[in-house]
C-alpha cells in the first residue's frame, strides 16, 4: 500500500499498520536487534535500562534528597519512586519517538531511493519499538508496585484507553517531524532542548496541585500533563480516568495521527532531492 499524493483518509494511519504489518514487524525486530547488537547483554538491556533508571531515581530523589509526593510530604521514598516512575514511562516513550523523528528519513536514505518502499511505515516501526520499551518498563513498575504496596490496582485495566490515543498523538508528531526534518535539519538539534523544557513543564517530579495557581496555565497547554495525571489516576490512586479528558484525548490523538500523515505524504516527493 503506497499512499497517493492525495489527502490520506482519516483511517489511513491505522490501515497502514494492518496492510504493512509484516514489514513493520521486520523493521521493529531489526531496530531492537541492531540497537543491542554489539552488547553482551543483548535484549536483556530492555529490562536492565528501565530497572537501572528506577534504581537511580529512587536513590537520588528518595534517599539522598528525601523527596515526597505532594504538599503533605507523606509517604516513603519507595512510594515516591513508584509514582514518579509511572510518569517517566510515558515521558520516556514520547521522548523516544519524538527525538528520533527529525532524522528518521535522512538516516534511512537507502529506503528513500526505493520508489516502492512505503516510507510511512518507518514512523510506525519507531512507535512500536518505543511501545515495547514502555511495556517492559510497565512490567517492572508492576513488580515494583507489588513489592512496595503488595498489590496492583484493578483500575490498571483502564490504561490501554489512555495509551492508545497518546500513541496515536506521538505517531502524528513523528510524521510531522520526520517530514520537516528532511528540509530543516536544525530541527534535529532543537528537539532535545524542547524535550528538556517539556520535562520541566510536566508533572513528572511533582503533582499539578503543587504548582502555584498563577502558573498552572503553563500546564494547560501541555498535552503530556493530562496524560500523566490520568495515568496516575489508574496506576497509583486506583480510580477510573476522567472520561471527558479521555474522550478529548482520543479525538486529539486520532486527529494528530491523520494530520501528521497528511503532512508526510504531501512532502514525500521532495525527500529524494533533499537527502
Amino acid at each position: 500500500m503506497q499512499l497517493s499524493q492525495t489527502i490520506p483518509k482519516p483511517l489511513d494511519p491505522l490501515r497502514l499498520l494492518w496492510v504493512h504489518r509484516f514489514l513493520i514487524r521486520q523493521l521493529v525486530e531489526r531496530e531492537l536487534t541492531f540497537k543491542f547488537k554489539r552488547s553482551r547483554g543483548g535484549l536483556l538491556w530492555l529490562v536492565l535500562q528501565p530497572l537501572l533508571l528506577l534504581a537511580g531515581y529512587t536513590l537520588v530523589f528518595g534517599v539522598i534528597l528525601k523527596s515526597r509526593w505532594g504538599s503533605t510530604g507523606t509517604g516513603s521514598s519507595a512510594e515516591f519512586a513508584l509514582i514518579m516512575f509511572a510518569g517517566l514511562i510515558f515521558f520516556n516513550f514520547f521522548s523516544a519517538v519524538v527525538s528520533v523523528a527529525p532524522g528518521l528519513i535522512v538516516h534511512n536514505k537507502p529506503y528513500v531511493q526505493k520508489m516502492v518502499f512505503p516510507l510511512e511505515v518507518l514512523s510506525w516501526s519507531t512507535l512500536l519499538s518505543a511501545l515495547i520499551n514502555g511495556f517492559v518498563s510497565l512490567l517492572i513498575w508492576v513488580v515494583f508496585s507489588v513489592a512496595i504496596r503488595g498489590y496492583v490496582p484493578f483500575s490498571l485495566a483502564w490504561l490501554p484507553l489512555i495509551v492508545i490515543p497518546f500513541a496515536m498523538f506521538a505517531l502524528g508528531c513523528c510524521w510531522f517531524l520526520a517530514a520537516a526534518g528532511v528540509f530543516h535539519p536544525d530541527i534535529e538539534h532543537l528537539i532535545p532542548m524542547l524535550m528538556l523544557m517539556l520535562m520541566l513543564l510536566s508533572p513528572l517530579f511533582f503533582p499539578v496541585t503543587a504548582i502555584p495557581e498563577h502558573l498552572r496555565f503553563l500546564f494547560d497547554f501541555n498535552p503530556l500533563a493530562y496524560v500523566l495525571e490520568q495515568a496516575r489516576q489508574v496506576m497509583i490512586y486506583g480510580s477510573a480516568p476522567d472520561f471527558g479528558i479521555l474522550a478529548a484525548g482520543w479525538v486529539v490523538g486520532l486527529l494528530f495521527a491523520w494530520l501528521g500523515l497528511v503532512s508526510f505524504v504531501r512532502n514525500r516527493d521532495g525527500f529524494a532531492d533533499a537527502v
Side-chain angles (χ1 to χ4, degrees):
M1 176 184 175
Q2 178 76 24
L3 293 179
S4 65
Q5 295 304 306
T6 59
I7 297 178
K9 298 177 182 178
L11 292 180
D12 277 348
L14 297 175
R15 190 176 293 114
L16 274 170
L17 176 62
W18 174 252
V19 173
H20 296 293
R21 58 191 181 278
F22 297 112
L23 173 61
I24 292 173
R25 184 181 67 182
Q26 291 176 342
L27 290 173
V28 171
E29 291 176 352
R30 188 203 67 171
E31 184 172 341
L32 293 176
T33 303
F34 180 78
K35 185 177 181 181
F36 305 108
K37 184 177 181 180
R38 298 187 60 189
S39 66
R40 293 185 178 181
L43 292 178
L44 182 62
W45 281 107
L46 283 174
V47 177
L48 292 178
Q49 284 179 340
L51 195 60
L52 292 173
L53 182 67
L54 174 61
Y57 276 109
T58 303
L59 175 64
V60 173
F61 288 94
V63 179
I64 298 176
L65 298 180
K66 299 186 183 302
S67 302
R68 298 296 182 267
W69 193 259
S71 57
T72 60
T74 57
S76 65
S77 59
E79 289 173 338
F80 175 83
L82 185 70
I83 298 172
M84 184 180 61
F85 190 63
L88 282 170
I89 292 173
F90 287 84
F91 177 81
N92 289 340
F93 158 72
F94 185 70
S95 179
V97 176
V98 172
S99 298
V100 171
L104 193 58
I105 301 301
V106 177
H107 296 159
N108 287 280
K109 189 181 298 185
Y111 293 137
V112 179
Q113 299 168 349
K114 297 179 180 180
M115 298 302 295
V116 297
F117 187 85
L119 294 174
E120 299 85 358
V121 304
L122 293 175
S123 293
W124 262 117
S125 66
T126 299
L127 179 82
L128 293 178
S129 297
L131 274 175
I132 291 173
N133 281 277
F135 180 71
V136 173
S137 296
L138 178 62
L139 292 180
I140 293 174
W141 180 90
V142 168
V143 173
F144 192 45
S145 177
V146 172
I148 297 302
R149 301 189 295 180
Y151 69 95
V152 174
F154 289 109
S155 56
L156 195 65
W158 292 110
L159 198 59
L161 296 181
I162 300 172
V163 172
I164 293 174
F166 184 51
M168 298 306 293
F169 174 77
L171 179 65
C173 291
C174 188
W175 272 320
F176 269 121
L177 293 171
V182 175
F183 306 104
H184 307 285
D186 290 342
I187 294 178
E188 192 169 359
H189 305 287
L190 179 62
I191 287 298
M193 292 182 287
L194 293 179
M195 292 308 301
L196 177 60
M197 292 177 60
L198 181 64
M199 182 179 68
L200 297 175
L201 291 175
S202 299
L204 278 171
F205 310 109
F206 49 82
V208 172
T209 53
I211 305 166
E213 290 283 351
H214 66 283
L215 293 178
R216 289 188 189 179
F217 73 93
L218 294 174
F219 293 79
D220 292 337
F221 299 98
N222 181 358
L224 190 59
Y226 296 97
V227 175
L228 295 179
E229 288 296 301
Q230 295 306 305
R232 288 192 177 114
Q233 283 292 112
V234 303
M235 296 173 69
I236 303 298
Y237 305 118
S239 59
D242 185 314
F243 291 102
I245 294 178
L246 205 59
W250 276 86
V251 172
V252 171
L254 294 173
L255 180 62
F256 250 77
W258 175 62
L259 291 176
L261 182 58
V262 169
S263 173
F264 189 92
V265 170
R266 298 301 291 271
N267 287 283
R268 188 176 54 201
D269 280 348
F271 290 171
D273 295 330
V275 300

